[in-house]
Amino acid sequence: MSSKEDYELVVGLEVHAELSTKTKIFCSCSTEFGAEPNTHICPICTAMPGALPVLNEKVVEYAVKAGLSTNCSISKDSKNDRKNYFYPDLPKSYQISQFDKPLCNNGYVEIEDDFGNSKKVRILRIHIEEDAGKLNHNEYSGGSLVDLNRAGVPLIEIVSEPDINSSDEADRYLKKLKSILQYIDVSDCKMQEGSLRADVNVSVHKKGEPFGTRHEIKNMNSFKSIQRAIDYEKEKQIIDVENGKTITQETLRWDDFEGQTSEMRDKEDAQDYRYFPEPDLVAIRLSDEYIEDIKNNLPEMPESRKERYIKEFKLTEKEANFLVSSKAFSDIFEKAGEICKNYKAVFNWLNSDISRILNEKEFEPEQIPFSAENLAELVTLIDNGTISSSIGKKVLDELFENPREPKKIIEEKGWIQISDESAIKEVVMKVLQNNPQSIADFKAGKDKALAFLIGQAMKETKGKANPKMLTDMFLAELKK
Ligand code: ADP
Ligand code: ZN
Ligand code: MG
């Protein structure tokens, strides 16, 4: 018997990202998400006989952008191929993909652990292909309804080498990839809408021995589930190997509720895709100038934003890292900071309360429902003393629940801070009158008594009293 520690986990990921082009890959139908079923379709994406595809040039541009920002070499000579298989949501019974001449080859993405150690995960290839439609299973009447709005939406598939050795590394790789795709603006990567999904290949082997046979878990679209699925498979495969079982190549699905994988198909019915060059499309030839031009126009990447934040806004490296880890955070930070001129306060909101709420709701940063303008206004309202920071937190909750202008929220709720001297004085006198013991305690040197008195005054005003004025006035009265 050997122990668990003798085994090494090996993971390779095939990531599908929907490209955010306005139109589909081979026709001019809209790629908009969430439309009424079968309203974004035409003879081409529904595979009417005789309909001919025309390649959307933007798709090539976006894929080249993705390749360049993941250190790939771009192939000047590329083509599309037919991948044949039958599935009810695939009207042509083949998918137009790329087989032996993908657009991008041999890149890498760098990931970092908590201690700043970095590691390269190599990328084997990135190719372009079309998405399939969607089957909506009808639980009541049985059967399935097919929606072809998504058929023909452009995808890139990013295939990694099996360089990932823990579920944590897989998570970091995926998050890094997602952030790159968002920074270069080729995909919104909304996992909840299926814009980013991964096939997860997992095997185990003893260090120094050849790689084990992989299990492939299909179509995963949550970071958490991917980590759980990898950990589950690792455990299970080690136990199987230890018990003398041979691992066979299988395709699995993950059940998030049960927390386990189950078999979809084994190697026996592995697909033979009978790839061949797509005869209805011409080959793709890219000039050096074309590639060079895309390279020169890539947007600012996280590394450079990070440097800028450290220099211009005096953030620490860790703080800057936090912001650029998500393009949504980074964009809000820049925009809100620009408006309210208090970058540090914007950072603090993002880093503390906003992150906490996102966590509680299991939201991604790009699901923040309010605008950078809203956040800037919240900061300004606190900075100019209109509301206290504790009221600010309540305003933030409102922004998440029902986003509207913070000014409107505090008016509606009557949350404006009391900064009127006579009103504050009235409360201070009342609280002092009701708490003679605290006065005595304070005079006897117990500083805690002051905090208690301020607390009472806050209770009295439902948290709306200006805390600085309260403190000053209590001190003035107590020292009389
Ligand atoms: P397929 O389309 O048959 O799944 P691909 O070549 O597209 O094949 O993808 C194979 C994926 O599996 C790659 O991401 C690769 O890194 C990964 N992979 C290959 N061998 C192993 C292995 N032994 N263990 C884990 N992952 C592997
Ligand atoms: Zn169409
Ligand atoms: Mg695969």
Side-chain angles (χ1 to χ4, degrees):
M1 285 291 271
S2 35
S3 79
K4 253 193 220 166
E5 284 69 47
D6 299 331
Y7 288 90
E8 183 178 53
L9 170 74
V10 174
V11 175
L13 297 170
E14 297 160 79
V15 174
H16 288 93
E18 262 184 19
L19 298 179
S20 48
T21 54
K22 287 202 178 65
T23 56
K24 293 187 181 180
I25 183 168
F26 301 120
C27 62
S28 55
C29 292
S30 165
T31 56
E32 188 203 356
F33 178 83
E36 280 294 301
N38 300 311
T39 53
H40 294 325
I41 57 172
C42 74
I44 295 171
C45 54
T46 54
M48 292 299 141
L52 291 173
V54 178
L55 179 60
N56 180 346
E57 198 192 325
K58 278 276 167 207
V59 172
V60 176
E61 182 189 321
Y62 282 19
V64 170
K65 269 179 150 183
L68 289 171
S69 38
T70 51
N71 310 292
C72 287
S73 43
I74 307 302
S75 185
K76 291 198 283 180
D77 172 24
S78 178
K79 69 174 168 65
N80 293 103
D81 299 279
R82 283 191 189 180
K83 180 179 181 180
N84 298 281
Y85 63 99
F86 173 77
Y87 206 73
D89 64 11
L90 186 72
K92 294 197 296 285
S93 277
Y94 59 83
Q95 177 192 28
I96 303 181
S97 179
Q98 296 193 286
F99 181 51
D100 53 343
K101 286 183 170 184
L103 267 176
C104 317
N105 291 287
N106 303 323
Y108 64 87
V109 162
E110 214 148 350
I111 55 172
E112 257 178 34
D113 67 15
D114 283 341
F115 310 103
N117 305 312
S118 68
K119 165 174 177 170
K120 281 180 185 167
V121 175
R122 289 169 303 155
I123 288 173
L124 178 67
R125 57 187 276 156
I126 302 178
H127 65 255
I128 54 174
E129 60 186 24
E130 59 182 332
D131 209 345
K134 198 168 183 296
L135 290 182
N136 295 311
H137 304 287
N138 192 324
E139 280 171 33
Y140 301 104
S141 62
S144 293
L145 301 166
V146 65
D147 174 8
L148 294 178
N149 283 348
R150 208 179 63 183
V153 168
L155 297 173
I156 46 175
E157 178 170 339
I158 305 164
V159 183
S160 88
E161 297 278 6
D163 287 348
I164 295 163
N165 300 110
S166 68
S167 59
D168 179 58
E169 281 182 8
D171 192 55
R172 288 171 196 267
Y173 168 77
L174 284 167
K175 287 183 174 154
K176 187 66 181 278
L177 206 53
K178 175 178 164 184
S179 130
I180 291 171
L181 297 179
Q182 288 182 326
Y183 275 102
I184 59 173
D185 218 6
V186 302
S187 172
D188 61 21
C189 295
K190 286 187 183 159
M191 297 185 92
Q192 67 283 7
E193 293 180 4
S195 297
L196 192 73
R197 1 189 247 271
D199 297 341
V200 182
N201 297 275
V202 185
S203 68
V204 297
H205 72 139
K206 285 204 182 129
K207 286 169 203 159
E209 288 180 9
F211 279 180
T213 305
R214 69 189 156 111
H215 280 173
E216 177 173 2
I217 315 160
K218 278 284 183 196
N219 233 336
M220 304 206 58
N221 67 348
S222 132
F223 289 132
K224 259 195 197 140
S225 312
I226 290 172
Q227 278 198 302
R228 289 176 67 205
I230 292 173
D231 289 335
Y232 172 86
E233 270 297 314
K234 179 185 178 188
E235 283 286 320
K236 185 162 179 290
Q237 291 182 22
I238 291 176
I239 293 170
D240 282 354
V241 174
E242 281 292 301
N243 290 336
K245 270 200 214 158
T246 320
I247 308 237
T248 56
Q249 197 169 330
E250 281 173 18
T251 304
L252 309 173
R253 68 164 62 86
W254 170 251
D255 184 328
D256 208 42
F257 185 72
E258 299 289 342
Q260 62 186 39
T261 54
S262 61
E263 189 172 306
M264 261 168 89
R265 52 177 187 257
D266 60 25
K267 188 134 193 231
E268 289 307 301
D269 41 52
Q271 312 260 357
D272 173 7
Y273 294 121
R274 294 171 289 121
Y275 279 102
F276 65 86
E278 169 59 57
D280 290 338
L281 288 165
V282 293
I284 306 168
R285 297 257 193 286
L286 305 180
S287 68
D288 289 323
E289 298 79 62
Y290 176 84
I291 298 170
E292 207 49 35
D293 193 46
I294 294 177
K295 198 182 219 162
N296 293 334
N297 287 301
L298 284 175
E300 190 184 20
M301 296 300 279
E303 272 310 305
S304 139
R305 286 197 189 202
K306 187 172 125 185
E307 302 289 303
R308 211 154 44 74
Y309 294 172
I310 295 172
K311 257 206 210 111
E312 280 176 36
F313 308 124
K314 309 280 172 264
L315 296 186
T316 65
E317 168 136 18
K318 196 169 165 215
E319 291 170 339
N321 264 334
F322 160 76
L323 287 175
V324 302
S325 70
S326 141
K327 178 163 185 280
F329 278 157
S330 183
D331 285 346
I332 293 179
F333 171 73
E334 294 198 15
K335 202 160 172 197
E338 171 73 35
I339 299 171
C340 70
K341 306 287 177 222
N342 187 346
Y343 286 92
K344 193 77 198 185
V346 174
F347 166 79
N348 285 335
W349 279 109
L350 289 169
N351 187 42
S352 59
D353 293 275
I354 293 176
S355 289
R356 174 181 49 78
I357 296 172
L358 290 176
N359 243 334
E360 284 165 9
K361 293 186 176 293
E362 297 192 11
F363 272 13
E364 296 298 321
E366 55 274 12
Q367 288 171 278
I368 292 175
F370 51 86
S371 66
E373 284 83 359
N374 291 154
L375 181 59
E377 189 178 310
L378 173 59
V379 170
T380 303
L381 287 169
I382 295 172
D383 284 351
N384 67 19
T386 310
I387 57 171
S388 65
S389 50
S390 58
I391 294 289
K393 289 184 194 220
K394 293 211 241 174
V395 173
L396 183 69
D397 288 335
E398 282 293 318
L399 283 176
F400 267 100
E401 290 319 312
N402 174 17
R404 54 208 194 277
E405 284 173 28
K407 255 196 210 117
K408 290 223 175 88
I409 296 176
I410 62 175
E411 269 166 30
E412 267 170 42
K413 304 267 174 188
W415 282 345
I416 295 173
Q417 180 161 275
I418 305 171
S419 298
D420 175 67
E421 203 153 327
S422 61
I424 300 257
K425 177 126 194 183
E426 201 176 303
V427 181
V428 166
M429 297 317 282
K430 185 174 168 197
V431 170
L432 285 174
Q433 206 166 12
N434 293 340
N435 296 283
Q437 186 57 47
S438 298
I439 303 177
D441 288 349
F442 183 82
K443 295 203 161 150
K446 290 186 192 158
D447 288 344
K448 265 197 211 149
L450 176 63
F452 174 77
L453 289 167
I454 293 171
Q456 292 302 302
M458 278 297 186
K459 217 185 235 171
E460 196 71 32
T461 58
K462 301 202 173 69
K464 288 189 293 187
N466 180 322
K468 169 122 192 8
M469 290 179 73
L470 264 188
T471 314
D472 291 348
M473 212 170 285
F474 269 121
L475 280 173
E477 289 299 324
L478 287 166
K479 283 178 181 160
K480 267 187 189 163

